[in-house]
Amino acid sequence: MRILVIEDDLTTREFIARGLQEQGFVVDEAEDGQQGLMMATRYEYQLIILDRMLPKLDGLKVLGALRAAENHTPVLILSAMDSVEDRVVGLTSGSDDYLTKPFALAELVARANILVKRNQLVATVSSEYSYDDLRLDIKSHRVWRGSRLINLQQKEFLLLQYLMEHVESVVSRMSLFESVWSYHFDPKTNVIDVHIANLRKKLESDGEPSLIHTVRGAGYVLRRV
């Protein structure tokens, strides 16, 4: 298990590295954002621990560059910025967890273990789904209809993935809210309808037969007519 620690403060970086090494992890270290981004894109890691305020390249810019390059390695942000707004920005920017400074090493190690194990569990699940002439690859974050590559937004991709995981079964609006938006209540908006409509347009832009169908009063289903 290999972890990258991107932290400009030498004392903090070494403190984290020692704690992780004692747990059996192999730890690489980077002292600024540019070096960290280069290492994160060159090598494969099970987790990246990323300081938010870094010289040369800000931590959120490093995170943005990784996600734009479809690098989905789990990222744990470390930051002295501890307001609710700061944590929300960090989490919605694509990180998997956010830990404020100062922190207890035991908590950081515990969070690191959770993220690594969660990523291992995801990796054991099939990364590719196919139905009819539709194919979805989780690792590359790509979708094809026949030989045509389809560009999907993140929510559209997650919606289609959920439908393909439950192919030919009707899924309710509530289940989509919970799985795609992490809402455990119905926000009473048409956000699902809008995304489903956009998804259909993209899947059928070359005149292909419809695969996503509305089941009135029940939800949606992915199936051949």
Side-chain angles (χ1 to χ4, degrees), residues 92-116:
T92 56
S93 295
S95 72
D96 298 86
D97 202 353
Y98 192 104
L99 183 61
T100 57
K101 299 178 180 180
F103 56 85
L105 180 61
E107 182 179 4
L108 182 143
V109 170
R111 293 187 184 216
N113 275 309
I114 289 170
L115 290 173
V116 168

PDB file of all heavy atoms in Angstrom, residues 92-116:
ATOM      1  N   THR A  92     -16.446  19.333  -1.760  1.00  0.00           N
ATOM      2  CA  THR A  92     -17.126  19.433  -3.054  1.00  0.00           C
ATOM      3  C   THR A  92     -16.154  19.644  -4.207  1.00  0.00           C
ATOM      4  O   THR A  92     -16.556  19.584  -5.374  1.00  0.00           O
ATOM      5  CB  THR A  92     -18.161  20.575  -3.041  1.00  0.00           C
ATOM      6  OG1 THR A  92     -17.515  21.807  -2.684  1.00  0.00           O
ATOM      7  CG2 THR A  92     -19.271  20.293  -2.047  1.00  0.00           C
ATOM      8  N   SER A  93     -14.890  19.876  -3.899  1.00  0.00           N
ATOM      9  CA  SER A  93     -13.885  20.034  -4.950  1.00  0.00           C
ATOM     10  C   SER A  93     -13.350  18.693  -5.433  1.00  0.00           C
ATOM     11  O   SER A  93     -12.526  18.652  -6.345  1.00  0.00           O
ATOM     12  CB  SER A  93     -12.722  20.897  -4.459  1.00  0.00           C
ATOM     13  OG  SER A  93     -13.152  22.214  -4.184  1.00  0.00           O
ATOM     14  N   GLY A  94     -13.802  17.614  -4.789  1.00  0.00           N
ATOM     15  CA  GLY A  94     -13.390  16.289  -5.254  1.00  0.00           C
ATOM     16  C   GLY A  94     -12.604  15.469  -4.256  1.00  0.00           C
ATOM     17  O   GLY A  94     -12.170  14.366  -4.576  1.00  0.00           O
ATOM     18  N   SER A  95     -12.423  15.995  -3.034  1.00  0.00           N
ATOM     19  CA  SER A  95     -11.707  15.206  -2.030  1.00  0.00           C
ATOM     20  C   SER A  95     -12.640  14.168  -1.418  1.00  0.00           C
ATOM     21  O   SER A  95     -13.857  14.260  -1.524  1.00  0.00           O
ATOM     22  CB  SER A  95     -11.142  16.116  -0.933  1.00  0.00           C
ATOM     23  OG  SER A  95     -12.186  16.596  -0.105  1.00  0.00           O
ATOM     24  N   ASP A  96     -12.042  13.178  -0.746  1.00  0.00           N
ATOM     25  CA  ASP A  96     -12.829  12.119  -0.122  1.00  0.00           C
ATOM     26  C   ASP A  96     -12.973  12.320   1.379  1.00  0.00           C
ATOM     27  O   ASP A  96     -13.850  11.723   2.002  1.00  0.00           O
ATOM     28  CB  ASP A  96     -12.161  10.769  -0.395  1.00  0.00           C
ATOM     29  CG  ASP A  96     -12.106  10.457  -1.875  1.00  0.00           C
ATOM     30  OD1 ASP A  96     -11.143  10.889  -2.543  1.00  0.00           O
ATOM     31  OD2 ASP A  96     -13.048   9.823  -2.373  1.00  0.00           O
ATOM     32  N   ASP A  97     -12.124  13.154   1.956  1.00  0.00           N
ATOM     33  CA  ASP A  97     -12.213  13.447   3.386  1.00  0.00           C
ATOM     34  C   ASP A  97     -11.456  14.746   3.652  1.00  0.00           C
ATOM     35  O   ASP A  97     -10.652  15.191   2.820  1.00  0.00           O
ATOM     36  CB  ASP A  97     -11.617  12.302   4.211  1.00  0.00           C
ATOM     37  CG  ASP A  97     -12.129  12.268   5.650  1.00  0.00           C
ATOM     38  OD1 ASP A  97     -12.846  13.218   6.050  1.00  0.00           O
ATOM     39  OD2 ASP A  97     -11.807  11.306   6.361  1.00  0.00           O
ATOM     40  N   TYR A  98     -11.730  15.344   4.818  1.00  0.00           N
ATOM     41  CA  TYR A  98     -11.148  16.647   5.151  1.00  0.00           C
ATOM     42  C   TYR A  98     -10.844  16.629   6.646  1.00  0.00           C
ATOM     43  O   TYR A  98     -11.740  16.431   7.461  1.00  0.00           O
ATOM     44  CB  TYR A  98     -12.149  17.752   4.819  1.00  0.00           C
ATOM     45  CG  TYR A  98     -11.609  19.170   4.827  1.00  0.00           C
ATOM     46  CD1 TYR A  98     -11.344  19.831   3.632  1.00  0.00           C
ATOM     47  CD2 TYR A  98     -11.405  19.862   6.007  1.00  0.00           C
ATOM     48  CE1 TYR A  98     -10.886  21.138   3.618  1.00  0.00           C
ATOM     49  CE2 TYR A  98     -10.944  21.160   6.019  1.00  0.00           C
ATOM     50  CZ  TYR A  98     -10.689  21.807   4.810  1.00  0.00           C
ATOM     51  OH  TYR A  98     -10.221  23.114   4.810  1.00  0.00           O
ATOM     52  N   LEU A  99      -9.588  16.814   6.991  1.00  0.00           N
ATOM     53  CA  LEU A  99      -9.155  16.791   8.386  1.00  0.00           C
ATOM     54  C   LEU A  99      -8.480  18.114   8.722  1.00  0.00           C
ATOM     55  O   LEU A  99      -7.575  18.545   8.015  1.00  0.00           O
ATOM     56  CB  LEU A  99      -8.188  15.628   8.612  1.00  0.00           C
ATOM     57  CG  LEU A  99      -7.686  15.393  10.048  1.00  0.00           C
ATOM     58  CD1 LEU A  99      -8.859  15.092  10.986  1.00  0.00           C
ATOM     59  CD2 LEU A  99      -6.685  14.238  10.071  1.00  0.00           C
ATOM     60  N   THR A 100      -8.942  18.756   9.794  1.00  0.00           N
ATOM     61  CA  THR A 100      -8.399  20.074  10.147  1.00  0.00           C
ATOM     62  C   THR A 100      -7.195  19.949  11.073  1.00  0.00           C
ATOM     63  O   THR A 100      -7.089  19.013  11.867  1.00  0.00           O
ATOM     64  CB  THR A 100      -9.475  20.945  10.818  1.00  0.00           C
ATOM     65  OG1 THR A 100      -9.983  20.274  11.985  1.00  0.00           O
ATOM     66  CG2 THR A 100     -10.619  21.214   9.862  1.00  0.00           C
ATOM     67  N   LYS A 101      -6.298  20.913  10.945  1.00  0.00           N
ATOM     68  CA  LYS A 101      -5.120  20.997  11.813  1.00  0.00           C
ATOM     69  C   LYS A 101      -5.443  21.869  13.021  1.00  0.00           C
ATOM     70  O   LYS A 101      -6.180  22.851  12.881  1.00  0.00           O
ATOM     71  CB  LYS A 101      -3.941  21.617  11.051  1.00  0.00           C
ATOM     72  CG  LYS A 101      -3.485  20.834   9.843  1.00  0.00           C
ATOM     73  CD  LYS A 101      -2.348  21.576   9.146  1.00  0.00           C
ATOM     74  CE  LYS A 101      -1.835  20.832   7.927  1.00  0.00           C
ATOM     75  NZ  LYS A 101      -0.745  21.559   7.253  1.00  0.00           N
ATOM     76  N   PRO A 102      -4.886  21.563  14.188  1.00  0.00           N
ATOM     77  CA  PRO A 102      -4.044  20.400  14.489  1.00  0.00           C
ATOM     78  C   PRO A 102      -4.890  19.130  14.594  1.00  0.00           C
ATOM     79  O   PRO A 102      -6.084  19.194  14.879  1.00  0.00           O
ATOM     80  CB  PRO A 102      -3.429  20.767  15.840  1.00  0.00           C
ATOM     81  CG  PRO A 102      -4.442  21.667  16.467  1.00  0.00           C
ATOM     82  CD  PRO A 102      -5.056  22.450  15.361  1.00  0.00           C
ATOM     83  N   PHE A 103      -4.271  17.995  14.346  1.00  0.00           N
ATOM     84  CA  PHE A 103      -4.995  16.734  14.348  1.00  0.00           C
ATOM     85  C   PHE A 103      -4.211  15.698  15.148  1.00  0.00           C
ATOM     86  O   PHE A 103      -3.001  15.826  15.366  1.00  0.00           O
ATOM     87  CB  PHE A 103      -5.192  16.230  12.922  1.00  0.00           C
ATOM     88  CG  PHE A 103      -3.906  16.081  12.145  1.00  0.00           C
ATOM     89  CD1 PHE A 103      -3.138  14.922  12.243  1.00  0.00           C
ATOM     90  CD2 PHE A 103      -3.445  17.115  11.345  1.00  0.00           C
ATOM     91  CE1 PHE A 103      -1.948  14.791  11.548  1.00  0.00           C
ATOM     92  CE2 PHE A 103      -2.255  16.991  10.647  1.00  0.00           C
ATOM     93  CZ  PHE A 103      -1.499  15.834  10.742  1.00  0.00           C
ATOM     94  N   ALA A 104      -4.915  14.684  15.594  1.00  0.00           N
ATOM     95  CA  ALA A 104      -4.272  13.559  16.273  1.00  0.00           C
ATOM     96  C   ALA A 104      -3.824  12.556  15.220  1.00  0.00           C
ATOM     97  O   ALA A 104      -4.574  12.238  14.297  1.00  0.00           O
ATOM     98  CB  ALA A 104      -5.242  12.902  17.250  1.00  0.00           C
ATOM     99  N   LEU A 105      -2.605  12.074  15.364  1.00  0.00           N
ATOM    100  CA  LEU A 105      -2.072  11.122  14.387  1.00  0.00           C
ATOM    101  C   LEU A 105      -2.954   9.881  14.299  1.00  0.00           C
ATOM    102  O   LEU A 105      -3.179   9.349  13.206  1.00  0.00           O
ATOM    103  CB  LEU A 105      -0.643  10.724  14.753  1.00  0.00           C
ATOM    104  CG  LEU A 105       0.035   9.727  13.811  1.00  0.00           C
ATOM    105  CD1 LEU A 105       0.154  10.307  12.402  1.00  0.00           C
ATOM    106  CD2 LEU A 105       1.424   9.345  14.345  1.00  0.00           C
ATOM    107  N   ALA A 106      -3.470   9.432  15.450  1.00  0.00           N
ATOM    108  CA  ALA A 106      -4.314   8.230  15.455  1.00  0.00           C
ATOM    109  C   ALA A 106      -5.554   8.430  14.584  1.00  0.00           C
ATOM    110  O   ALA A 106      -5.983   7.506  13.884  1.00  0.00           O
ATOM    111  CB  ALA A 106      -4.724   7.888  16.886  1.00  0.00           C
ATOM    112  N   GLU A 107      -6.118   9.636  14.602  1.00  0.00           N
ATOM    113  CA  GLU A 107      -7.298   9.894  13.775  1.00  0.00           C
ATOM    114  C   GLU A 107      -6.930   9.909  12.301  1.00  0.00           C
ATOM    115  O   GLU A 107      -7.658   9.364  11.464  1.00  0.00           O
ATOM    116  CB  GLU A 107      -7.941  11.227  14.155  1.00  0.00           C
ATOM    117  CG  GLU A 107      -9.200  11.516  13.345  1.00  0.00           C
ATOM    118  CD  GLU A 107      -9.888  12.812  13.711  1.00  0.00           C
ATOM    119  OE1 GLU A 107      -9.349  13.557  14.559  1.00  0.00           O
ATOM    120  OE2 GLU A 107     -10.963  13.091  13.147  1.00  0.00           O
ATOM    121  N   LEU A 108      -5.803  10.537  11.962  1.00  0.00           N
ATOM    122  CA  LEU A 108      -5.381  10.559  10.558  1.00  0.00           C
ATOM    123  C   LEU A 108      -5.154   9.140  10.050  1.00  0.00           C
ATOM    124  O   LEU A 108      -5.591   8.792   8.939  1.00  0.00           O
ATOM    125  CB  LEU A 108      -4.109  11.388  10.406  1.00  0.00           C
ATOM    126  CG  LEU A 108      -3.588  11.523   8.966  1.00  0.00           C
ATOM    127  CD1 LEU A 108      -3.004  12.915   8.729  1.00  0.00           C
ATOM    128  CD2 LEU A 108      -2.519  10.475   8.652  1.00  0.00           C
ATOM    129  N   VAL A 109      -4.478   8.310  10.840  1.00  0.00           N
ATOM    130  CA  VAL A 109      -4.206   6.932  10.429  1.00  0.00           C
ATOM    131  C   VAL A 109      -5.512   6.159  10.262  1.00  0.00           C
ATOM    132  O   VAL A 109      -5.678   5.389   9.305  1.00  0.00           O
ATOM    133  CB  VAL A 109      -3.282   6.231  11.439  1.00  0.00           C
ATOM    134  CG1 VAL A 109      -3.187   4.737  11.148  1.00  0.00           C
ATOM    135  CG2 VAL A 109      -1.887   6.863  11.414  1.00  0.00           C
ATOM    136  N   ALA A 110      -6.450   6.381  11.176  1.00  0.00           N
ATOM    137  CA  ALA A 110      -7.743   5.691  11.084  1.00  0.00           C
ATOM    138  C   ALA A 110      -8.473   6.084   9.805  1.00  0.00           C
ATOM    139  O   ALA A 110      -9.033   5.236   9.100  1.00  0.00           O
ATOM    140  CB  ALA A 110      -8.595   6.017  12.307  1.00  0.00           C
ATOM    141  N   ARG A 111      -8.485   7.386   9.500  1.00  0.00           N
ATOM    142  CA  ARG A 111      -9.153   7.850   8.286  1.00  0.00           C
ATOM    143  C   ARG A 111      -8.459   7.324   7.038  1.00  0.00           C
ATOM    144  O   ARG A 111      -9.108   6.960   6.057  1.00  0.00           O
ATOM    145  CB  ARG A 111      -9.201   9.376   8.260  1.00  0.00           C
ATOM    146  CG  ARG A 111     -10.095   9.979   9.332  1.00  0.00           C
ATOM    147  CD  ARG A 111     -10.226  11.473   9.140  1.00  0.00           C
ATOM    148  NE  ARG A 111     -10.990  12.086  10.203  1.00  0.00           N
ATOM    149  CZ  ARG A 111     -11.818  13.105  10.037  1.00  0.00           C
ATOM    150  NH1 ARG A 111     -12.005  13.611   8.829  1.00  0.00           N
ATOM    151  NH2 ARG A 111     -12.472  13.637  11.060  1.00  0.00           N
ATOM    152  N   ALA A 112      -7.130   7.282   7.080  1.00  0.00           N
ATOM    153  CA  ALA A 112      -6.368   6.753   5.943  1.00  0.00           C
ATOM    154  C   ALA A 112      -6.713   5.288   5.702  1.00  0.00           C
ATOM    155  O   ALA A 112      -6.924   4.864   4.556  1.00  0.00           O
ATOM    156  CB  ALA A 112      -4.871   6.917   6.197  1.00  0.00           C
ATOM    157  N   ASN A 113      -6.787   4.517   6.758  1.00  0.00           N
ATOM    158  CA  ASN A 113      -7.133   3.096   6.615  1.00  0.00           C
ATOM    159  C   ASN A 113      -8.524   2.912   6.033  1.00  0.00           C
ATOM    160  O   ASN A 113      -8.744   2.041   5.177  1.00  0.00           O
ATOM    161  CB  ASN A 113      -7.050   2.403   7.987  1.00  0.00           C
ATOM    162  CG  ASN A 113      -5.647   1.933   8.319  1.00  0.00           C
ATOM    163  OD1 ASN A 113      -5.000   1.263   7.531  1.00  0.00           O
ATOM    164  ND2 ASN A 113      -5.159   2.300   9.492  1.00  0.00           N
ATOM    165  N   ILE A 114      -9.475   3.734   6.469  1.00  0.00           N
ATOM    166  CA  ILE A 114     -10.845   3.637   5.962  1.00  0.00           C
ATOM    167  C   ILE A 114     -10.880   3.926   4.468  1.00  0.00           C
ATOM    168  O   ILE A 114     -11.511   3.211   3.685  1.00  0.00           O
ATOM    169  CB  ILE A 114     -11.763   4.608   6.729  1.00  0.00           C
ATOM    170  CG1 ILE A 114     -11.985   4.109   8.161  1.00  0.00           C
ATOM    171  CG2 ILE A 114     -13.104   4.766   6.008  1.00  0.00           C
ATOM    172  CD1 ILE A 114     -12.676   5.104   9.055  1.00  0.00           C
ATOM    173  N   LEU A 115     -10.193   4.993   4.042  1.00  0.00           N
ATOM    174  CA  LEU A 115     -10.205   5.371   2.630  1.00  0.00           C
ATOM    175  C   LEU A 115      -9.524   4.316   1.760  1.00  0.00           C
ATOM    176  O   LEU A 115      -9.996   3.999   0.671  1.00  0.00           O
ATOM    177  CB  LEU A 115      -9.531   6.731   2.439  1.00  0.00           C
ATOM    178  CG  LEU A 115     -10.295   7.929   2.997  1.00  0.00           C
ATOM    179  CD1 LEU A 115      -9.452   9.199   2.890  1.00  0.00           C
ATOM    180  CD2 LEU A 115     -11.619   8.109   2.264  1.00  0.00           C
ATOM    181  N   VAL A 116      -8.424   3.776   2.241  1.00  0.00           N
ATOM    182  CA  VAL A 116      -7.704   2.746   1.474  1.00  0.00           C
ATOM    183  C   VAL A 116      -8.559   1.483   1.346  1.00  0.00           C
ATOM    184  O   VAL A 116      -8.684   0.904   0.263  1.00  0.00           O
ATOM    185  CB  VAL A 116      -6.352   2.426   2.131  1.00  0.00           C
ATOM    186  CG1 VAL A 116      -5.737   1.165   1.525  1.00  0.00           C
ATOM    187  CG2 VAL A 116      -5.390   3.601   1.969  1.00  0.00           C
TER     188      VAL A 116
END
